[in-house]
């Protein structure tokens, strides 16, 4: 029996706590099972993503990039990404834009140069939003199976899924180790630069025990994998076929590709007509 | 199919040794010569075993099933030495386990129990390249000439740290994983079947990390079952689970044994589970030798032998041994509550236990000082209407503690009990200041935790985590123990640190990394770390898990020694014996609320409360209930004392066996 407590409003520091980051990461990874993009075959999504991750680098037309951006922004919205991820993205972009502005002003390029450089920002925006849209919509299992079917080694695709499975446990453990340091250490006086340095130092050194613990727990995992026939399966192509038999490209997937292709053609056509 | 091949076909040397030890032991135990039958029994077993005859000793029923006598596991003269180790972990081990058996492997820490089990599933010698001698046959297959994968179709293994054996994100995926790897087309049906066998179909879609410890254990077991093995090995199921879940696991294992005729092997410290569920017991000596293998009644009746190896026999058996009450038929001490209660029931014409006398008997004097009223003791921790909890994935705030009011006084020895997820850990974290209340306040030794950092609070509070590995932050445990004092730049700490290290018997281990110690040693190290902080309030999360009886006794003794420094101790625990014979105050939690705050007796007198909080009273308390004592004895000593008083008061003969 769980009772929610609507009264509690987390403070700012609570929001960026390790625990909170864990929840956000899990939501990003597993939380969205029913978004628009999640309905499609992972291989189709990966091909789709590959297009939007690579082509922007070769496009210098702002109209086309904007066209891409609009479509992708909508898809990103439908995949309900976590605020934390968007926040990290926003910080990255704003600092990027700000530094370009400063550099161009310092070297006398003025706003014109900044405008020219904004093409790069646009490209980055398209690529990052595409990544967010695809990876929040695709849970690690489907991603891992998609990679396997595209010919990635079994160890690699297993690693992707296993990494996500371990993530919550590792974050929890990291949090506890951090508290082990804090519960036995001595912190400098509050709200000073030294406090900041102390916190930073702790957050780094807490990784060492975590790595050692992980190394130790891996022993059981590796033994268990051996028992569960993981290495046995790698030499048996039949297993791969059996495992991936649920992945099927359907009409729906093809329709999605067709609509995307049509949209891209329209955007390119508009790009050749208009100039920004 | 309660049958067992008594010992070791084809291992003449071991027979001789076992025979000798058995003789010695029997001679010692049976000084008063009132258990001739049991001695004859084991003699016969050994004699027959030396002539290579399969002897079946029926554990309970006395019926023999010739058809089931074939061995599913045969270990012949196995010795094993881990790479880099100096001594053999297993020394000339020979065993035979018959199909359909339910065997417990017992032995003190470091006697090679886990190593033995890893020989059975082929990890040794295929995966570990140590020095391996001898032969292991599983279902007729020689383990050294096959692959681990092939063997896992016959033998399933549930590790002690079972969390790490779950490799997939969801339960159903986990169950499909092994059958899929072996290329079974029907892997989904196999997974479904395993879920059905254990009756956990509702977990199918869950994410692994959302499960409780008990559920994870069940999933690890189900994943093993998906390959439909004949043998299931479970390594210390009770150590990590609350008593109700532990019992559930055992009930499932018993069901698999009965209904599906699986052979079950458990490694276990907790003899009361062995008494209730297992059929046979294999005792490993220090140094990886098999001392004997006996039916469960005979095995657990060998009280002195078990205690000598730091294994605690069931409480009822201890009590009955102290009273010298044996079963007249077998000349063994009873090992289950049921059996003990039967023996204690008055014979016709006798009134061994008089309820009206019992009601008027004065309450047992407690060995604790609870006389002083709490109001004139200093309040150390004041929790006022505190609510706290976690945010779940769907962004909802889930309260794990609701509106808690609690004051902890100087001198309190508190046992905090309740099922997993009742909020025990959250409460401890609130007091340690690493979790702040959402509403209400927590005051620890004059500090409001919301305006105090954990570093500042640590001057007054030390908190021992449930998982020892999360507390090893330095290169070796001596450094871990010194960490707190060194951070505070205290000088001349050497003698104090040495004293702590000696008390916990860690001198030889002090230069080792905590992670590389055994479970019991890790516990001792974390206790030393906590006490080296000279805390006023000490908080411990499950400290007795994986502690053997001696370390456990050391721990409580140390608490007593430290009463000047450590003014209050709060222990979150499932260990009901700790509740019964150590705690001065018991707090029962359920669903984030405090259900009861009182003395141990009060808790054990309220069965509905126990059930709610997933608690199982110690055997001796249960026996008291069975005898309809209004105020059950809390420890074996109390029980024995009261029984002696009762038998003195009744003129009739004290025991049906005399």
């Amino acid at each position: 029996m769980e009772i929610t407590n609507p009264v509690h409003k987390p403070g700012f520091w609570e929001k960026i706590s390790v625990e909170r980051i864990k929840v956000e990461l899990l939501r990003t990874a597993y939380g969205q099972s029913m978004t628009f993009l999640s309905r499609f075959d992972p291989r189709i999504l990966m091909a789709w993503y590959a297009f939007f991750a690579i082509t922007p680098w070769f496009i210098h037309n702002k109209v086309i990039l904007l066209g891409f951006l609009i479509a992708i922004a909508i898809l990103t919205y439908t995949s309900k990404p976590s605020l934390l991820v968007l926040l990290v993205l926003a910080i990255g972009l704003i600092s990027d834009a700000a530094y370009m502005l400063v550099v161009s002003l310092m070297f006398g390029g003025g706003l014109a140069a900044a405008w020219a450089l904004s093409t790069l920002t646009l490209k980055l925006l398209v690529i990052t939003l595409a990544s967010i849209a695809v990876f929040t919509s695709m849970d690690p299992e489907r991603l891992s199976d998609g990679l396997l079917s595209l010919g990635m080694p079994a160890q690699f695709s297993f690693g992707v899924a296993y990494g996500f499975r371990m993530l919550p446990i590792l974050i929890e453990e990291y949090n506890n180790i951090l508290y082990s340091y804090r519960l036995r250490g001595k912190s400098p006086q509050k709200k000073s630069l030294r406090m900041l340095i102390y916190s930073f130092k702790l957050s780094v050194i807490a990784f060492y025990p975590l790595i050692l613990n992980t190394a130790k727990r891996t022993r059981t995992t590796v033994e268990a994998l051996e028992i569960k026939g993981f290495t046995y399966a790698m030499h048996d192509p039949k297993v791969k076929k059996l495992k991936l038999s649920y992945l099927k490209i359907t009409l729906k997937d093809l329709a999605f590709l067709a609509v995307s292709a049509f949209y891209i053609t329209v955007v390119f056509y508009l790009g050749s007509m208009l100039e920004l | 199919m309660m049958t067992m091949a008594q010992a070791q076909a084809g291992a003449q040397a071991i027979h001789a040794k076992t025979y000798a030890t058995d003789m010695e032991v029997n001679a010692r135990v049976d000084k008063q010569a009132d258990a001739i039958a049991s001695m004859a029994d084991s003699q016969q077993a050994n004699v027959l075993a030396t002539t290579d005859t399969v002897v079946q000793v029926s554990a309970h029923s006395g019926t023999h099933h010739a058809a089931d006598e074939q061995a599913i596991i045969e270990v012949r003269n196995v010795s094993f030495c881990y790479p880099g180790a100096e001594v053999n972990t297993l020394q000339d081990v020979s065993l035979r386990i018959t199909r359909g058996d339910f065997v417990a492997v017992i032995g003190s820490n470091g006697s090679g129990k886990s190593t033995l089990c890893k020989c059975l599933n082929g990890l040794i010698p295929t995966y570990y390249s140590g020095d391996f001698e001898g032969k292991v046959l599983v279902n007729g297959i020689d383990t050294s000439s096959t692959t681990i994968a092939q063997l896992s179709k016959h033998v399933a293994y549930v590790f002690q740290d079972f969390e790490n054996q779950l490799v997939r994100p969801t339960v159903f995926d986990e169950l499909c994983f092994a059958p899929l790897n072996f290329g079974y087309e029907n892997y989904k049906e196999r997974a479904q079947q395993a879920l059905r066998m254990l009756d956990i179909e509702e977990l199918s879609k869950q994410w692994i990390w959302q499960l409780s410890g008990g559920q994870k254990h069940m999933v690890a077991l189900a994943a093993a079952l998906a390959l439909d093995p004949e043998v299931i090995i479970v390594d210390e199921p009770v150590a990590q689970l609350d008593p109700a879940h532990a019992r559930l696991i055992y009930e499932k294992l018993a069901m698999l044994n009965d209904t599906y005729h699986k052979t079950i092997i458990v490694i276990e410290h907790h003899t009361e589970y062995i008494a209730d569920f297992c059929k046979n017991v294999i005792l490993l000596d220090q140094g990886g030798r098999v001392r004997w293998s006996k039916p469960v009644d005979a095995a657990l009746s060998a009280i002195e032998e078990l205690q000598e190896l730091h294994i605690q026999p069931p409480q009822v058996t201890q009590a009955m041994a102290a009273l010298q009450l044996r079963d007249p038929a077998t000349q063994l001490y009873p090992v289950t509550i049921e059996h003990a209660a039967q023996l204690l029931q008055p014979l016709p014409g006798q009134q061994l236990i008089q309820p009206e006398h019992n009601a008027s008997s004065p309450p047992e004097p407690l060995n604790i000082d609870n006389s002083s009223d709490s109001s004139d003791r200093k309040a150390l921790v004041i929790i006022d209407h505190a609510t706290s909890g976690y945010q779940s994935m769907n962004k909802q705030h889930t309260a794990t503690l609701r509106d808690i009011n609690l004051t902890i006084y100087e001198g309190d020895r508190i046992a905090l009990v309740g099922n997993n997820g009742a909020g025990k850990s959250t409460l401890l974290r609130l007091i340690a200041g690493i979790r702040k209340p959402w509403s209400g306040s927590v005051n620890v030794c004059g500090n409001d935790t919301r305006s105090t950092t954990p570093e500042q609070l640590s001057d007054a509070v030390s908190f021992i985590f449930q998982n020892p590995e999360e507390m090893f932050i330095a290169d070796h445990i001596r450094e871990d123990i010194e960490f707190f004092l060194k951070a505070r730049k205290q000088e001349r700490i050497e003698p104090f640190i040495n004293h702590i290290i000696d008390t916990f018997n860690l001198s030889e281990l002090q230069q080792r990394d905590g992670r590389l110690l055994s479970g019991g040693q890790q516990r001792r190290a974390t206790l030393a770390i906590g006490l080296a902080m000279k805390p006023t309030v000490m908080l411990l999360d499950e400290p007795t898990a994986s502690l053997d009886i001696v370390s456990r006794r050391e721990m409580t003794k140390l608490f007593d020694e430290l009463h000047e420094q450590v003014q209050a101790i709060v222990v979150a625990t499932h260990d009901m014996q700790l509740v019964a014979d150590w705690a001065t105050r018991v707090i029962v939690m359920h669903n984030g609320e405090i259900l009861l705050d009182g003395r141990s007796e009060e808790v054990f007198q309220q069965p509905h409360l126990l059930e709610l909080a997933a608690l199982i009273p110690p055997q001796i308390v249960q026996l008291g209930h069975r005898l309809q004592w209004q105020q059950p004895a809390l420890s074996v000593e109390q029980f024995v004392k009261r029984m002696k008083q009762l038998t003195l008061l009744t003129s009739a003969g004290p025991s049906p066996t005399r």
Side-chain angles (χ1 to χ4, degrees):
Chain A
M1 197 172 49
E2 291 184 344
I3 283 187
T4 53
N5 182 349
V7 184
H8 179 63
K9 291 235 162 52
F12 177 71
W13 288 107
E14 253 177 279
K15 270 188 183 154
I16 61 161
S17 68
V18 176
E19 198 185 304
R20 172 74 190 229
I21 292 171
K22 178 181 107 180
V23 171
E24 291 290 338
L25 274 175
L26 287 178
R27 265 169 43 76
T28 308
Y30 297 106
Q32 317 296 323
S33 41
M34 273 335 286
T35 64
F36 173 70
L37 283 178
S38 69
R39 295 171 207 186
F40 302 109
D41 186 277
R43 287 163 296 179
I44 297 290
L45 283 182
M46 271 188 267
W48 184 89
Y49 170 66
F51 178 82
F52 284 100
I54 295 167
T55 47
W57 295 111
F58 305 105
I59 297 169
H60 305 286
N61 186 321
K62 282 211 177 79
V63 176
I64 299 176
L65 288 174
L66 269 177
F68 283 9
L69 183 64
I70 291 164
I72 286 171
I74 293 168
L75 286 176
T76 309
Y77 180 76
T78 64
S79 65
K80 295 178 233 154
S82 116
L83 275 178
L84 194 81
V85 173
L86 290 179
L87 192 75
V88 171
L89 168 74
I91 291 172
L93 278 177
I94 290 167
S95 60
D96 188 55
Y99 117 87
M100 281 200 287
L101 194 64
V102 170
V103 169
S104 70
L105 287 176
M106 266 169 60
F107 290 94
L111 288 177
W115 174 247
L117 281 170
S118 71
T119 316
L120 183 62
T121 312
L122 213 53
K123 288 178 185 181
L124 290 176
L125 200 57
V126 169
I127 294 163
T128 38
L129 283 183
S131 316
I132 293 174
V134 168
F135 290 106
T136 50
S137 299
M138 191 157 49
D139 70 40
E141 279 315 284
R142 291 168 64 83
L143 173 66
S144 142
D145 287 343
L147 287 171
L148 188 66
S149 80
L150 292 176
M152 285 288 190
Q155 290 97 324
F156 181 80
S157 68
F158 172 79
V160 171
Y162 180 70
F164 273 99
R165 133 100 180 91
M166 291 306 288
L167 204 62
I169 294 172
L170 291 181
I171 295 175
E172 194 117 308
E173 186 162 305
Y174 175 77
N175 205 10
N176 280 342
I177 290 170
L178 207 59
Y179 277 125
S180 265
Y181 277 104
R182 297 197 62 189
L183 286 175
R184 266 186 275 165
K186 185 144 181 73
S187 65
Q189 289 306 307
K190 258 191 160 180
K191 285 170 190 151
S192 62
L193 183 66
R194 285 178 57 205
M195 180 71 195
L196 203 69
I197 295 170
Y198 170 78
S199 309
F200 181 72
K201 192 178 140 199
L202 279 196
S203 62
V204 175
I205 56 177
F207 275 105
Y208 289 93
L210 181 69
I211 290 166
L212 293 175
N213 286 350
T214 308
K216 198 187 153 196
R217 84 162 86 238
T218 311
R219 195 180 96 170
T220 301
T221 307
V222 171
E223 283 178 14
L225 280 177
E226 202 63 37
I227 292 173
K228 286 165 190 268
F230 180 68
T231 41
Y232 175 86
M234 285 197 305
H235 307 297
D236 192 351
K238 194 179 120 202
V239 173
K240 183 173 156 184
K241 228 175 109 188
L242 194 63
K243 186 172 159 58
L244 300 176
S245 59
Y246 82 97
L247 288 180
K248 282 200 178 65
I249 293 174
T250 57
L251 218 57
K252 176 175 75 182
D253 297 303
L254 296 177
F256 174 63
L257 278 191
V259 171
S260 302
F262 176 72
Y263 182 80
I264 290 163
T265 320
V266 171
V267 168
F268 269 99
Y269 177 72
L270 283 177
S272 66
M273 304 296 282
L274 300 168
E275 191 77 38
L276 250 177
Chain B
M1 268 137 289
M2 303 182 169
T3 61
M4 175 192 118
Q6 176 76 356
Q8 313 117 12
Q12 305 293 340
I14 278 290
H15 289 318
K17 264 187 225 163
T18 320
Y19 183 64
T21 27
D22 259 359
M23 284 295 280
E24 272 169 40
V25 168
N26 282 326
R28 217 177 323 117
V29 172
D30 303 323
K31 269 184 208 131
Q32 295 135 355
D34 52 352
I36 299 153
S38 89
M39 189 163 152
D41 205 31
S42 65
Q43 272 181 355
Q44 182 197 26
N46 278 294
V47 169
L48 288 175
T50 26
T51 55
D52 256 8
T53 315
V54 178
V55 179
Q56 294 174 11
V57 181
S58 165
H60 297 291
S61 59
T63 49
H64 289 218
H65 297 273
D68 293 315
E69 71 187 42
Q70 80 221 91
I72 191 156
I73 286 174
E74 259 193 275
V75 179
R76 292 183 195 157
N77 302 79
V78 165
S79 296
F80 182 71
C81 180
Y82 279 104
E86 278 162 16
V87 286
N88 281 0
T89 311
L90 293 178
Q91 185 66 45
D92 205 18
V93 170
S94 295
L95 280 178
R96 236 187 124 171
I97 295 170
T98 39
R99 198 177 286 274
D101 205 345
F102 194 146
V103 193
V105 179
I106 59 175
S108 50
N109 289 340
S111 55
K113 302 184 294 287
S114 294
T115 308
L116 175 62
C117 289
K118 282 178 183 172
C119 286
L120 305 183
N121 70 357
L123 280 172
I124 296 171
T126 313
Y127 189 75
Y128 287 101
S129 51
D131 290 337
F132 180 85
E133 279 168 41
K135 197 171 194 174
V136 179
L137 294 175
V138 175
N139 226 0
I141 306 166
D142 185 342
T143 56
S144 56
S145 63
T146 184
T147 61
I148 296 171
Q150 281 304 330
L151 269 177
S152 55
K153 292 177 187 171
H154 302 279
V155 184
Y157 194 90
V158 180
F159 289 80
Q160 193 177 352
D161 52 338
F162 51 87
E163 297 208 0
N164 300 327
Q165 92 182 81
L166 304 172
V167 294
R168 302 291 285 168
T170 70
V171 171
F172 194 72
D173 273 339
E174 179 67 36
L175 298 194
C176 291
F177 187 68
L180 192 56
N181 281 334
F182 289 109
Y184 292 122
E185 304 250 342
N186 61 345
Y187 66 93
K188 283 187 181 160
E189 285 99 89
R190 278 172 175 265
Q192 280 298 350
Q193 171 68 9
L195 286 170
R196 262 199 302 276
M197 274 164 103
L198 294 179
D199 199 19
I200 50 168
E201 280 137 309
E202 73 282 359
L203 295 182
S204 177
K205 296 263 179 292
Q206 298 258 339
W207 302 109
I208 295 284
W209 78 81
Q210 289 176 325
L211 304 179
S212 71
Q215 288 172 327
K216 279 183 193 160
H217 199 276
M218 207 58 101
V219 171
L221 182 61
L225 283 174
L227 286 175
D228 198 23
E230 287 102 330
V231 183
I232 299 165
I233 305 174
V234 188
D235 196 343
E236 300 222 19
V238 176
Q240 311 288 333
L241 304 175
D242 66 38
H245 274 111
R247 190 150 276 274
L248 186 66
I249 284 280
Y250 266 101
E251 277 161 8
K252 297 286 183 193
L253 288 175
M255 181 273 296
L256 291 171
N257 182 249
D258 274 352
T259 315
Y260 297 92
H261 310 294
K262 308 281 184 200
T263 308
I264 315 269
I265 302 169
V266 291
I267 300 176
E268 190 54 83
H269 281 304
H270 297 79
T271 45
E272 65 272 23
Y273 291 93
I274 299 177
D276 285 351
F277 294 100
C278 299
K279 294 172 182 168
N280 291 295
V281 177
I282 295 168
L283 176 67
L284 285 187
D285 239 332
Q286 210 46 261
R289 288 180 177 81
V290 175
R291 185 179 279 201
W292 44 247
S293 137
K294 290 182 183 175
V296 69
D297 316 32
L300 297 180
S301 260
I303 291 235
E304 291 178 30
E305 206 174 1
L306 294 179
Q307 282 176 338
E308 181 194 319
L309 292 168
H310 307 317
I311 299 162
Q312 188 179 21
Q315 279 191 320
V316 286
T317 317
Q318 289 177 46
M320 300 304 262
L323 294 166
Q324 287 291 318
L325 282 171
R326 295 168 193 268
D327 184 309
T330 59
Q331 288 302 312
L332 297 168
Y333 297 119
V335 297
T336 60
I337 299 168
E338 196 68 34
H339 195 182
Q342 270 171 23
L343 284 187
L344 289 171
Q345 291 304 329
L347 299 172
Q350 279 183 327
Q351 281 219 309
L352 188 60
I353 293 140
Q354 298 169 311
E356 64 279 6
H357 165 77
N358 185 40
S360 62
S361 76
E364 284 293 317
L366 293 164
N367 55 349
I368 48 171
D369 180 29
N370 212 19
S371 52
S372 60
D373 185 26
S374 57
S375 56
D376 53 73
R377 287 184 291 156
K378 197 169 90 188
L380 296 171
V381 178
I382 302 161
I383 300 175
D384 183 28
H385 294 285
T387 296
S388 183
Y390 294 87
Q391 193 190 25
S392 59
M393 242 169 72
N394 50 17
K395 292 203 164 182
Q396 281 179 340
H397 291 275
T398 310
T400 47
L401 278 187
R402 273 178 259 135
D403 200 25
I404 297 285
N405 290 303
L406 176 68
T407 307
I408 297 171
Y409 297 97
E410 193 181 340
D412 273 350
R413 300 282 179 270
I414 299 177
L416 189 59
V417 295
N419 54 328
N420 286 339
K424 302 188 302 278
S425 287
T426 315
L427 183 61
L428 291 184
R429 279 162 185 264
L430 273 187
I431 301 174
I434 56 182
R435 174 164 286 281
K436 315 285 180 193
W438 289 349
S439 63
S441 71
V442 178
N443 191 298
V444 179
C445 300
N447 304 304
D448 187 326
T449 58
R450 271 187 295 194
S451 54
T452 320
T453 63
E455 283 90 343
Q456 288 165 326
L457 269 184
S458 69
D459 287 331
V461 179
S462 80
F463 179 27
I464 312 293
F465 285 136
Q466 184 174 8
N467 177 4
E469 302 200 344
E470 291 166 354
M471 293 189 66
F472 300 128
I473 53 179
D475 289 344
H476 48 79
I477 57 172
R478 191 185 173 91
E479 221 176 291
D480 266 318
I481 295 168
E482 292 169 340
F483 197 96
F484 175 83
L485 295 174
K486 285 213 164 153
R488 276 153 189 74
K489 305 215 164 44
Q490 294 205 6
E491 285 174 18
R492 287 194 292 281
I493 56 173
E494 285 295 300
F496 175 70
I497 296 290
N498 285 337
H499 172 67
I500 292 258
I501 287 177
D502 285 345
T503 339
F504 282 97
N505 198 10
L506 293 166
S507 334
E508 291 186 1
L509 308 168
Q510 54 177 307
Q511 298 299 331
R512 290 178 62 186
D513 187 304
R515 269 162 281 271
L516 303 177
L517 306 178
S518 76
Q521 292 167 336
Q522 287 189 342
R523 277 294 154 196
R524 297 209 307 266
T526 55
L527 288 172
I529 292 171
L531 285 168
M533 293 167 67
K534 302 182 181 170
T536 314
V537 179
M538 196 155 170
L539 311 169
L540 303 102
D541 203 350
E542 304 277 347
T544 55
S546 72
L547 268 194
D548 63 18
I549 168 175
V550 177
S551 313
R552 199 172 150 280
R553 206 182 295 133
E554 290 286 307
M555 187 186 84
T556 45
K557 210 175 85 197
L558 211 84
F559 286 164
D560 294 339
E561 277 173 29
L562 287 160
H563 70 275
E564 302 224 328
Q565 174 66 46
V566 185
Q567 293 170 11
I569 301 175
V570 186
V571 178
T573 188
H574 294 307
D575 186 336
M576 288 299 115
Q577 291 188 29
L578 198 70
V579 175
D581 52 9
W582 170 77
T584 62
R585 184 174 167 193
V586 183
I587 295 172
V588 183
M589 295 194 67
H590 182 61
N591 255 331
E593 281 162 357
I594 293 178
L595 287 188
L596 182 133
D597 183 351
R599 304 202 310 178
S600 317
E601 305 90 326
E602 297 174 41
V603 178
F604 294 131
Q605 279 161 8
Q606 305 195 33
H608 70 282
L609 205 72
L610 294 171
E611 203 177 310
L612 257 185
L615 300 174
I616 294 170
Q619 274 195 326
I620 207 74
V621 176
Q622 291 183 52
L623 183 59
H625 283 308
R626 281 298 300 269
L627 299 174
Q628 293 172 357
W629 290 5
Q630 296 197 341
Q631 204 167 45
L634 296 184
S635 66
V636 175
E637 293 78 36
Q638 276 183 25
F639 183 87
V640 172
K641 211 173 108 196
R642 205 185 297 181
M643 277 307 292
K644 282 185 175 160
Q645 283 171 357
L646 283 171
T647 41
L648 279 179
L649 286 164
T650 48
S651 52
S655 130
T657 58
R658 292 289 156 91

